[in-house]
Amino acid sequence: MGLFRRGPKRDSRDLARDGEFSFFSEREGGLFRSQVRQAFAEQGLEVTAYAGVVTDSAGRQFGLGNLAAVCHRDRRGERSWPALIRDHVGKVLRTMDGPQPLEILSEDEIRACLYPRVVAQETLPASDSFRYGRAPAPGLREVLALDLPEAVQMLSEDSLTDLGDVAELRIRAMNNLRALPVEGHETVRRGDGSAFEVLLGDSFFTASRVLVLDELVERLMGTGLTPDGALVAVPFRHQLAFHRIHDARVIPALQAMAQFAAAGHEDAAGAISPRVFWWRRGVMTPLSEPDGNGLRVVADAEFQEMLERLVRRES
């Protein structure tokens, strides 16, 4: 799972863009929705396609955002779309129409597949269904989820009622997260001497490992974090980037990671955040913001003081 491979052939950005998914041209957006309708029809379900969702005759809605991003980013291009869409539609319908996991799984089975998941706050329903979730950083929310064979199901507050105390469930979920294998790890080195690490994986909980970053860093690198912590980025669910702060190379690393996070977040399935954060003892402070066509570093006074201290130490 490389970071910088050549992307798929796509329509020119000069062509008129799709109104909902700007990474598609109008033609690509029309083709995508047509193939979505066909995939549902093959499952015996007629749907009406709107800009970002399709609906069936019973009023059920199926969001298209993540599927559109998956198709857009697949390196094989449009020829891969029919299979990707059929597979996705099949899984969605089996999950919705089949027995519900909380009704058929035992308590031990539920706890064995329980994980904390970090998501963008804006992707959660506007209701209070997930108000129990912690906010590890501005714009982010940590919720509990089940890792099932064909789906990841986020658990609402109501669904947790019969499972036990939320704090105890989170302890079990965090232990499951710690036990996940490392699927892929790459070091991104820059010409200015800075570097940062990237964890990659097919798991929907790869980015969520930021919740146990200190343990993860020691496991991967052989040494832990200093009291100054690390820079971290969680562009989308399958990627986590970090830089251990120990000298003035944190300055170019911040610039490099800001570009990396913004690019990784754009058009991604399971997008989480385009920002870089300062991670210290589990607290995440935003350090970068998308700003029009560029990026803006928003380091606070405490981070600036740390930078000045590291620069003085090397002078």
Side-chain angles (χ1 to χ4, degrees):
M1 187 184 295
L3 295 175
F4 303 110
R5 297 175 187 158
R6 186 173 62 184
K9 183 178 179 180
R10 298 172 178 141
D11 283 352
S12 169
R13 296 291 299 187
D14 295 334
L15 296 177
R17 311 315 298 169
D18 183 81
E20 180 74 14
F21 306 121
S22 60
F23 47 78
F24 282 155
S25 67
E26 284 186 352
R27 182 196 66 83
E28 290 169 331
L31 175 63
F32 167 73
R33 293 181 182 87
S34 174
Q35 292 182 352
V36 169
R37 288 194 299 269
Q38 177 63 30
F40 274 101
E42 291 173 359
Q43 296 285 335
L45 194 64
E46 294 297 325
V47 296
T48 302
Y50 297 95
V53 300
V54 296
T55 62
D56 65 10
S57 59
R60 296 185 300 180
Q61 288 193 345
F62 306 87
L64 298 179
N66 281 340
L67 178 57
V70 167
C71 289
H72 170 66
R73 293 173 68 93
D74 193 282
R75 300 183 186 281
R76 296 167 294 176
E78 290 177 17
R79 62 187 175 88
S80 68
W81 292 8
L84 289 172
I85 293 169
R86 283 195 299 268
D87 180 65
H88 176 84
V89 168
K91 288 180 179 178
V92 166
L93 291 178
R94 286 193 296 273
T95 300
M96 293 187 70
D97 296 337
Q100 294 306 298
L102 294 180
E103 298 174 356
I104 62 173
L105 296 179
S106 68
E107 181 176 321
D108 287 343
E109 289 172 327
I110 289 172
R111 291 172 181 265
C113 62
L114 187 65
Y115 291 86
R117 185 177 178 188
V118 175
V119 299
Q121 173 71 47
E122 62 188 20
T123 63
L124 293 174
S127 66
D128 293 333
S129 301
F130 295 92
R131 62 184 176 183
Y132 71 87
R134 297 171 59 252
L140 304 184
R141 184 63 68 93
E142 174 201 326
V143 300
L144 294 175
L146 297 179
D147 189 16
L148 305 170
E150 289 197 322
V152 170
Q153 178 180 333
M154 295 191 295
L155 299 176
S156 66
E157 187 165 349
D158 288 343
S159 66
L160 293 172
T161 303
D162 296 329
L163 296 182
D165 180 70
V166 172
E168 293 179 1
L169 293 171
R170 183 177 184 268
I171 291 172
R172 178 57 186 265
M174 292 288 284
N175 287 336
N176 289 342
L177 185 69
R178 293 184 178 95
L180 284 176
V182 174
E183 296 180 66
H185 169 219
E186 299 185 18
T187 302
V188 178
R189 302 189 185 280
R190 310 283 292 189
D192 55 20
S194 66
F196 59 92
E197 312 299 321
V198 181
L199 194 71
L200 311 102
D202 292 330
S203 169
F204 276 44
F205 305 98
T206 301
S208 301
R209 298 175 81 151
V210 71
L211 299 173
V212 291
L213 184 74
D214 47 353
E215 299 170 43
L216 177 67
V217 168
E218 188 157 6
R219 176 178 173 184
L220 284 176
M221 312 302 293
T223 56
L225 297 172
T226 72
D228 289 328
L231 305 178
V232 297
V234 285
F236 61 106
R237 64 194 179 203
H238 302 296
Q239 198 173 81
L240 165 65
F242 66 87
H243 168 85
R244 294 178 295 167
I245 299 175
H246 53 84
D247 58 29
R249 283 177 290 184
V250 64
I251 299 173
L254 173 56
Q255 294 291 341
M257 285 184 63
Q259 296 172 359
F260 179 85
H265 177 267
E266 185 180 13
D267 309 340
I272 300 177
S273 176
R275 299 179 176 90
V276 176
F277 300 91
W278 183 18
W279 189 102
R280 287 179 303 164
R281 297 178 294 277
V283 177
M284 295 168 62
T285 304
L287 295 176
S288 70
E289 292 283 353
D291 184 17
N293 295 323
L295 297 164
R296 181 167 57 95
V297 173
V298 291
D300 62 12
E302 191 172 3
F303 187 78
Q304 187 64 39
E305 289 173 4
M306 181 198 68
L307 295 182
E308 293 172 357
R309 169 170 50 81
L310 293 175
V311 170
R312 285 198 305 270
R313 193 171 69 188
E314 296 185 7
S315 60

